[in-house]
Amino acid sequence: MFNYASRFDFPYPEVMEALSTRAIGRAAVRDELARIALPRFFEDGFESVTFDDLAAAAGVSRSTFLRHFGSKEDVVLYVFDPLGDAISGVLASRPTDEDEWVSLRRAVDPVVELLTRDPGAGLALISLVWKTPALWSRLHEKQGSWRPAIADLLAERAGADAAPILVLRTRAMAALGCLMVAFDSWVMGEGSDDLAALTDTTFGSLAPADSTT
Amino acid sequence: MFNYASRFDFPYPEVMEALSTRAIGRAAVRDELARIALPRFFEDGFESVTFDDLAAAAGVSRSTFLRHFGSKEDVVLYVFDPLGDAISGVLASRPTDEDEWVSLRRAVDPVVELLTRDPGAGLALISLVWKTPALWSRLHEKQGSWRPAIADLLAERAGADAAPILVLRTRAMAALGCLMVAFDSWVMGEGSDDLAALTDTTFGSLAPADSTT
DNA sequence: CCTATGGTGATACTCAGTTTCAGTTACGCA
DNA sequence: TGCGTAACTGAAACTGAGTATCACCATAGG
């Protein structure tokens, strides 16, 4: 099953911050609730599972479950939460003189790695997301929230002669979009393709252009 | 106020199809209901307006309002419905030997044109969408649904030596994404920038690349 | 002119998500 | 070690989205 202790074994420790005792406990409970909930969604479909079902399965009250996750979508997409910071972290660590588009491709590796680590589980998750419009939307919303930090990092590393921020925001959008299109293909091929290779292909379809037309 | 009779004065008549008498009436009612509903959303915010409010404002029952629009989001995003076909229509009409990226930029003109036609109304709409996560998500979902047709048209016009469909899907994503990033900037600048110019800039930030790396 | 189709409003229902409140646990500090 | 407070919990009631059903009415189209 999908690994939910993402906060504890996530391979990019620099994105973790100091947590109070209670915050650690809280995160652990969230992990546990999500771990219990996911199979229910996989088996019955996102819409068919109610908060009552989830609470019963987890042995807590509906109130408690709702307090840990503000919405059903949050339960499923919980695993994506740390990826924004992970992407930024990798991007910040790339050499300044590396080609921008290559750095962006590398920045997205944590996502590919997380979904590929457990064969089957990652695909099951993305398949669920892709067959459920509400989840697809919310994932894209989350992805959109990662953009500003990425664009800012691109500006920072380019220094004085950086392209306008609008240009950099566009490239951040494109990079994350390439990842999403790769997911799309991965789901359509039912996992028969290699996600990293698909991502290479989508990134290879585009390139930054000089905006001084 | 925003022009809601989009089905009747939309400047790309080729995308219109023959409608039965009842279907015409139905579309007219939808136009009217949306026209009445929009100002409510602008004034009170998307979440604060209930279906009861909308039904009362329109002088119909809640049932009837809900029968015409499956969700509140649909009411606001109704105006975007014909744009997928409009984009495809323009793309299909572009010369086959025109640069692919240029054709995609032109294909998106109907959207820019529609939002720019009435100064203020288009900006108000996009601002509402941008400040309401549920609307932002649903617009992106709708935009995502336009992609396959665009990619297919790109394949068709390139003929035998077309790039793999995954590459074309990526470029369709990028083109629509450029439009969204332009919206983003337009909203942030509160309409002080020219939407068409912003769109030119975002499109100018990227270029198709040879995927045979 | 008749009828079958489709639009309408009323009602009742499920479920997501919010709010409130009272009872309990356990963290951090003295 | 004990205490006070802050946070966690569950119960209950509430709002509002969205679905389903039904009986009624208007009219398109033959």
Side-chain angles (χ1 to χ4, degrees), chain A residues 23 50-51 67-68 72 77 89 92 104 109 125 127 131 141 155 159 169-170 174 178 188 194 198 201 205:
Chain A
T50 69
F51 273 115
R67 204 172 292 109
H68 283 278
K72 280 208 295 178
L77 300 180
L104 284 168
D109 270 336
L125 179 67
S127 296
K131 87 173 57 141
E141 185 184 331
R169 270 191 255 130
T170 305
C178 282
M188 286 199 304
D194 177 52
L198 290 171
T201 300
S205 313

PDB file of all heavy atoms in Angstrom, chain A residues 23 50-51 67-68 72 77 89 92 104 109 125 127 131 141 155 159 169-170 174 178 188 194 198 201 205:
ATOM      1  N   ALA A  23       2.351  18.790  17.363  1.00  0.00           N
ATOM      2  CA  ALA A  23       2.279  18.829  15.906  1.00  0.00           C
ATOM      3  C   ALA A  23       2.724  17.496  15.314  1.00  0.00           C
ATOM      4  O   ALA A  23       2.176  17.032  14.311  1.00  0.00           O
ATOM      5  CB  ALA A  23       3.136  19.968  15.373  1.00  0.00           C
ATOM      6  N   THR A  50     -18.338   7.964   2.288  1.00  0.00           N
ATOM      7  CA  THR A  50     -18.749   9.136   3.074  1.00  0.00           C
ATOM      8  C   THR A  50     -17.819   9.310   4.272  1.00  0.00           C
ATOM      9  O   THR A  50     -17.060   8.403   4.627  1.00  0.00           O
ATOM     10  CB  THR A  50     -20.190   8.977   3.592  1.00  0.00           C
ATOM     11  OG1 THR A  50     -20.214   7.953   4.583  1.00  0.00           O
ATOM     12  CG2 THR A  50     -21.134   8.624   2.466  1.00  0.00           C
ATOM     13  N   PHE A  51     -17.895  10.469   4.879  1.00  0.00           N
ATOM     14  CA  PHE A  51     -17.101  10.709   6.080  1.00  0.00           C
ATOM     15  C   PHE A  51     -17.495   9.737   7.191  1.00  0.00           C
ATOM     16  O   PHE A  51     -16.653   9.353   8.006  1.00  0.00           O
ATOM     17  CB  PHE A  51     -17.267  12.153   6.549  1.00  0.00           C
ATOM     18  CG  PHE A  51     -16.303  13.096   5.903  1.00  0.00           C
ATOM     19  CD1 PHE A  51     -16.751  14.096   5.063  1.00  0.00           C
ATOM     20  CD2 PHE A  51     -14.934  12.977   6.124  1.00  0.00           C
ATOM     21  CE1 PHE A  51     -15.858  14.972   4.467  1.00  0.00           C
ATOM     22  CE2 PHE A  51     -14.035  13.851   5.533  1.00  0.00           C
ATOM     23  CZ  PHE A  51     -14.501  14.849   4.696  1.00  0.00           C
ATOM     24  N   ARG A  67     -11.971  17.155  11.500  1.00  0.00           N
ATOM     25  CA  ARG A  67     -11.060  18.146  12.036  1.00  0.00           C
ATOM     26  C   ARG A  67      -9.646  17.966  11.476  1.00  0.00           C
ATOM     27  O   ARG A  67      -8.889  18.914  11.364  1.00  0.00           O
ATOM     28  CB  ARG A  67     -11.035  18.085  13.569  1.00  0.00           C
ATOM     29  CG  ARG A  67     -10.597  19.399  14.193  1.00  0.00           C
ATOM     30  CD  ARG A  67     -10.768  19.407  15.702  1.00  0.00           C
ATOM     31  NE  ARG A  67     -12.146  19.388  16.134  1.00  0.00           N
ATOM     32  CZ  ARG A  67     -12.743  18.329  16.706  1.00  0.00           C
ATOM     33  NH1 ARG A  67     -12.093  17.222  16.903  1.00  0.00           N
ATOM     34  NH2 ARG A  67     -13.997  18.415  17.061  1.00  0.00           N
ATOM     35  N   HIS A  68      -9.319  16.751  11.104  1.00  0.00           N
ATOM     36  CA  HIS A  68      -7.987  16.499  10.557  1.00  0.00           C
ATOM     37  C   HIS A  68      -7.908  16.775   9.064  1.00  0.00           C
ATOM     38  O   HIS A  68      -6.844  17.099   8.542  1.00  0.00           O
ATOM     39  CB  HIS A  68      -7.567  15.063  10.856  1.00  0.00           C
ATOM     40  CG  HIS A  68      -7.116  14.849  12.267  1.00  0.00           C
ATOM     41  ND1 HIS A  68      -5.847  15.161  12.681  1.00  0.00           N
ATOM     42  CD2 HIS A  68      -7.756  14.408  13.360  1.00  0.00           C
ATOM     43  CE1 HIS A  68      -5.728  14.890  13.972  1.00  0.00           C
ATOM     44  NE2 HIS A  68      -6.877  14.438  14.417  1.00  0.00           N
ATOM     45  N   LYS A  72     -12.945  15.867   1.738  1.00  0.00           N
ATOM     46  CA  LYS A  72     -12.595  14.519   1.273  1.00  0.00           C
ATOM     47  C   LYS A  72     -11.404  14.574   0.324  1.00  0.00           C
ATOM     48  O   LYS A  72     -10.523  13.713   0.357  1.00  0.00           O
ATOM     49  CB  LYS A  72     -13.797  13.872   0.569  1.00  0.00           C
ATOM     50  CG  LYS A  72     -14.816  13.288   1.511  1.00  0.00           C
ATOM     51  CD  LYS A  72     -15.567  12.111   0.873  1.00  0.00           C
ATOM     52  CE  LYS A  72     -16.414  12.552  -0.314  1.00  0.00           C
ATOM     53  NZ  LYS A  72     -17.094  11.378  -0.925  1.00  0.00           N
ATOM     54  N   LEU A  77      -5.397  13.809  -1.399  1.00  0.00           N
ATOM     55  CA  LEU A  77      -4.273  14.596  -1.919  1.00  0.00           C
ATOM     56  C   LEU A  77      -3.257  14.957  -0.839  1.00  0.00           C
ATOM     57  O   LEU A  77      -2.260  15.623  -1.123  1.00  0.00           O
ATOM     58  CB  LEU A  77      -4.805  15.866  -2.598  1.00  0.00           C
ATOM     59  CG  LEU A  77      -5.749  15.591  -3.776  1.00  0.00           C
ATOM     60  CD1 LEU A  77      -6.234  16.886  -4.390  1.00  0.00           C
ATOM     61  CD2 LEU A  77      -5.063  14.736  -4.846  1.00  0.00           C
ATOM     62  N   GLY A  89      12.967  22.814  -3.090  1.00  0.00           N
ATOM     63  CA  GLY A  89      14.239  22.440  -2.489  1.00  0.00           C
ATOM     64  C   GLY A  89      15.241  21.939  -3.512  1.00  0.00           C
ATOM     65  O   GLY A  89      16.409  22.361  -3.523  1.00  0.00           O
ATOM     66  N   ALA A  92      16.396  24.780  -5.825  1.00  0.00           N
ATOM     67  CA  ALA A  92      17.363  25.669  -5.176  1.00  0.00           C
ATOM     68  C   ALA A  92      18.753  25.038  -5.109  1.00  0.00           C
ATOM     69  O   ALA A  92      19.764  25.749  -5.055  1.00  0.00           O
ATOM     70  CB  ALA A  92      16.890  26.024  -3.767  1.00  0.00           C
ATOM     71  N   LEU A 104      14.500  22.542 -14.118  1.00  0.00           N
ATOM     72  CA  LEU A 104      13.084  22.335 -13.836  1.00  0.00           C
ATOM     73  C   LEU A 104      12.714  20.856 -13.966  1.00  0.00           C
ATOM     74  O   LEU A 104      11.953  20.317 -13.154  1.00  0.00           O
ATOM     75  CB  LEU A 104      12.225  23.191 -14.769  1.00  0.00           C
ATOM     76  CG  LEU A 104      12.185  24.678 -14.406  1.00  0.00           C
ATOM     77  CD1 LEU A 104      11.568  25.500 -15.546  1.00  0.00           C
ATOM     78  CD2 LEU A 104      11.383  24.902 -13.126  1.00  0.00           C
ATOM     79  N   ASP A 109      11.714  15.670 -10.078  1.00  0.00           N
ATOM     80  CA  ASP A 109      12.069  14.283  -9.764  1.00  0.00           C
ATOM     81  C   ASP A 109      11.460  13.751  -8.467  1.00  0.00           C
ATOM     82  O   ASP A 109      11.034  12.590  -8.432  1.00  0.00           O
ATOM     83  CB  ASP A 109      13.597  14.125  -9.725  1.00  0.00           C
ATOM     84  CG  ASP A 109      14.158  13.753 -11.096  1.00  0.00           C
ATOM     85  OD1 ASP A 109      13.389  13.189 -11.905  1.00  0.00           O
ATOM     86  OD2 ASP A 109      15.341  14.019 -11.353  1.00  0.00           O
ATOM     87  N   LEU A 125      -3.147   5.598  -7.054  1.00  0.00           N
ATOM     88  CA  LEU A 125      -3.497   6.937  -6.571  1.00  0.00           C
ATOM     89  C   LEU A 125      -3.782   7.871  -7.739  1.00  0.00           C
ATOM     90  O   LEU A 125      -4.821   8.546  -7.776  1.00  0.00           O
ATOM     91  CB  LEU A 125      -2.356   7.488  -5.718  1.00  0.00           C
ATOM     92  CG  LEU A 125      -2.586   8.892  -5.161  1.00  0.00           C
ATOM     93  CD1 LEU A 125      -3.707   8.894  -4.141  1.00  0.00           C
ATOM     94  CD2 LEU A 125      -1.305   9.454  -4.560  1.00  0.00           C
ATOM     95  N   SER A 127      -4.532   7.134 -10.760  1.00  0.00           N
ATOM     96  CA  SER A 127      -5.723   6.692 -11.491  1.00  0.00           C
ATOM     97  C   SER A 127      -6.989   7.177 -10.801  1.00  0.00           C
ATOM     98  O   SER A 127      -7.923   7.650 -11.463  1.00  0.00           O
ATOM     99  CB  SER A 127      -5.744   5.159 -11.593  1.00  0.00           C
ATOM    100  OG  SER A 127      -4.649   4.707 -12.351  1.00  0.00           O
ATOM    101  N   LYS A 131      -9.682   9.746 -12.522  1.00  0.00           N
ATOM    102  CA  LYS A 131     -11.060   9.360 -12.844  1.00  0.00           C
ATOM    103  C   LYS A 131     -12.068  10.128 -12.008  1.00  0.00           C
ATOM    104  O   LYS A 131     -13.273   9.929 -12.141  1.00  0.00           O
ATOM    105  CB  LYS A 131     -11.237   7.844 -12.685  1.00  0.00           C
ATOM    106  CG  LYS A 131     -11.590   7.361 -11.311  1.00  0.00           C
ATOM    107  CD  LYS A 131     -11.908   5.861 -11.297  1.00  0.00           C
ATOM    108  CE  LYS A 131     -10.767   5.002 -11.825  1.00  0.00           C
ATOM    109  NZ  LYS A 131     -10.567   3.739 -11.083  1.00  0.00           N
ATOM    110  N   GLU A 141      -5.098  22.610  -8.626  1.00  0.00           N
ATOM    111  CA  GLU A 141      -5.094  23.800  -7.790  1.00  0.00           C
ATOM    112  C   GLU A 141      -3.856  23.806  -6.898  1.00  0.00           C
ATOM    113  O   GLU A 141      -3.160  24.822  -6.763  1.00  0.00           O
ATOM    114  CB  GLU A 141      -6.363  23.792  -6.935  1.00  0.00           C
ATOM    115  CG  GLU A 141      -6.568  25.020  -6.103  1.00  0.00           C
ATOM    116  CD  GLU A 141      -7.805  24.845  -5.218  1.00  0.00           C
ATOM    117  OE1 GLU A 141      -8.735  24.107  -5.603  1.00  0.00           O
ATOM    118  OE2 GLU A 141      -7.821  25.436  -4.126  1.00  0.00           O
ATOM    119  N   ALA A 155      13.977  33.413 -10.792  1.00  0.00           N
ATOM    120  CA  ALA A 155      14.435  34.810 -10.839  1.00  0.00           C
ATOM    121  C   ALA A 155      15.710  34.976 -10.020  1.00  0.00           C
ATOM    122  O   ALA A 155      16.684  35.595 -10.467  1.00  0.00           O
ATOM    123  CB  ALA A 155      13.346  35.739 -10.309  1.00  0.00           C
ATOM    124  N   GLY A 159      19.585  36.012 -11.325  1.00  0.00           N
ATOM    125  CA  GLY A 159      20.189  37.267 -10.893  1.00  0.00           C
ATOM    126  C   GLY A 159      19.715  38.464 -11.683  1.00  0.00           C
ATOM    127  O   GLY A 159      18.529  38.568 -12.031  1.00  0.00           O
ATOM    128  N   ARG A 169       7.086  32.784 -14.584  1.00  0.00           N
ATOM    129  CA  ARG A 169       5.859  32.112 -14.124  1.00  0.00           C
ATOM    130  C   ARG A 169       5.308  31.199 -15.211  1.00  0.00           C
ATOM    131  O   ARG A 169       4.779  30.119 -14.924  1.00  0.00           O
ATOM    132  CB  ARG A 169       4.812  33.154 -13.708  1.00  0.00           C
ATOM    133  CG  ARG A 169       4.913  33.524 -12.228  1.00  0.00           C
ATOM    134  CD  ARG A 169       3.710  34.335 -11.792  1.00  0.00           C
ATOM    135  NE  ARG A 169       4.051  35.731 -11.635  1.00  0.00           N
ATOM    136  CZ  ARG A 169       3.388  36.747 -12.148  1.00  0.00           C
ATOM    137  NH1 ARG A 169       2.313  36.548 -12.872  1.00  0.00           N
ATOM    138  NH2 ARG A 169       3.793  37.978 -11.953  1.00  0.00           N
ATOM    139  N   THR A 170       5.415  31.657 -16.435  1.00  0.00           N
ATOM    140  CA  THR A 170       4.948  30.816 -17.538  1.00  0.00           C
ATOM    141  C   THR A 170       5.749  29.516 -17.607  1.00  0.00           C
ATOM    142  O   THR A 170       5.192  28.434 -17.812  1.00  0.00           O
ATOM    143  CB  THR A 170       5.085  31.572 -18.870  1.00  0.00           C
ATOM    144  OG1 THR A 170       4.388  32.810 -18.775  1.00  0.00           O
ATOM    145  CG2 THR A 170       4.511  30.751 -20.012  1.00  0.00           C
ATOM    146  N   ALA A 174       4.598  25.675 -17.222  1.00  0.00           N
ATOM    147  CA  ALA A 174       4.877  24.671 -18.247  1.00  0.00           C
ATOM    148  C   ALA A 174       5.531  23.428 -17.644  1.00  0.00           C
ATOM    149  O   ALA A 174       5.185  22.298 -17.999  1.00  0.00           O
ATOM    150  CB  ALA A 174       5.772  25.264 -19.328  1.00  0.00           C
ATOM    151  N   CYS A 178       3.901  19.861 -17.720  1.00  0.00           N
ATOM    152  CA  CYS A 178       4.543  18.697 -18.344  1.00  0.00           C
ATOM    153  C   CYS A 178       4.411  17.480 -17.445  1.00  0.00           C
ATOM    154  O   CYS A 178       4.138  16.361 -17.906  1.00  0.00           O
ATOM    155  CB  CYS A 178       6.021  18.987 -18.612  1.00  0.00           C
ATOM    156  SG  CYS A 178       6.309  20.004 -20.078  1.00  0.00           S
ATOM    157  N   MET A 188      -3.342   6.592 -18.827  1.00  0.00           N
ATOM    158  CA  MET A 188      -3.956   6.037 -20.037  1.00  0.00           C
ATOM    159  C   MET A 188      -3.300   4.716 -20.425  1.00  0.00           C
ATOM    160  O   MET A 188      -3.960   3.808 -20.910  1.00  0.00           O
ATOM    161  CB  MET A 188      -3.864   7.045 -21.184  1.00  0.00           C
ATOM    162  CG  MET A 188      -4.851   8.202 -21.019  1.00  0.00           C
ATOM    163  SD  MET A 188      -5.160   9.099 -22.535  1.00  0.00           S
ATOM    164  CE  MET A 188      -3.513   9.585 -22.993  1.00  0.00           C
ATOM    165  N   ASP A 194       7.027   3.936 -18.499  1.00  0.00           N
ATOM    166  CA  ASP A 194       7.844   4.404 -17.378  1.00  0.00           C
ATOM    167  C   ASP A 194       7.569   5.890 -17.150  1.00  0.00           C
ATOM    168  O   ASP A 194       7.730   6.701 -18.060  1.00  0.00           O
ATOM    169  CB  ASP A 194       9.321   4.163 -17.692  1.00  0.00           C
ATOM    170  CG  ASP A 194      10.217   4.707 -16.588  1.00  0.00           C
ATOM    171  OD1 ASP A 194       9.974   4.350 -15.426  1.00  0.00           O
ATOM    172  OD2 ASP A 194      11.126   5.502 -16.900  1.00  0.00           O
ATOM    173  N   LEU A 198       8.200   9.142 -19.604  1.00  0.00           N
ATOM    174  CA  LEU A 198       7.102   9.989 -20.088  1.00  0.00           C
ATOM    175  C   LEU A 198       7.386  11.447 -19.738  1.00  0.00           C
ATOM    176  O   LEU A 198       7.163  12.356 -20.547  1.00  0.00           O
ATOM    177  CB  LEU A 198       5.774   9.551 -19.469  1.00  0.00           C
ATOM    178  CG  LEU A 198       5.214   8.201 -19.934  1.00  0.00           C
ATOM    179  CD1 LEU A 198       4.017   7.802 -19.077  1.00  0.00           C
ATOM    180  CD2 LEU A 198       4.821   8.262 -21.402  1.00  0.00           C
ATOM    181  N   THR A 201       9.827  12.893 -22.014  1.00  0.00           N
ATOM    182  CA  THR A 201       9.230  13.201 -23.317  1.00  0.00           C
ATOM    183  C   THR A 201       8.441  14.505 -23.274  1.00  0.00           C
ATOM    184  O   THR A 201       8.568  15.351 -24.169  1.00  0.00           O
ATOM    185  CB  THR A 201       8.291  12.065 -23.764  1.00  0.00           C
ATOM    186  OG1 THR A 201       9.050  10.859 -23.851  1.00  0.00           O
ATOM    187  CG2 THR A 201       7.669  12.380 -25.111  1.00  0.00           C
ATOM    188  N   SER A 205       9.232  18.214 -25.228  1.00  0.00           N
ATOM    189  CA  SER A 205       8.346  18.785 -26.243  1.00  0.00           C
ATOM    190  C   SER A 205       8.357  20.295 -26.255  1.00  0.00           C
ATOM    191  O   SER A 205       7.828  20.926 -27.173  1.00  0.00           O
ATOM    192  CB  SER A 205       6.902  18.322 -25.988  1.00  0.00           C
ATOM    193  OG  SER A 205       6.864  16.946 -25.761  1.00  0.00           O
TER     194      SER A 205
END
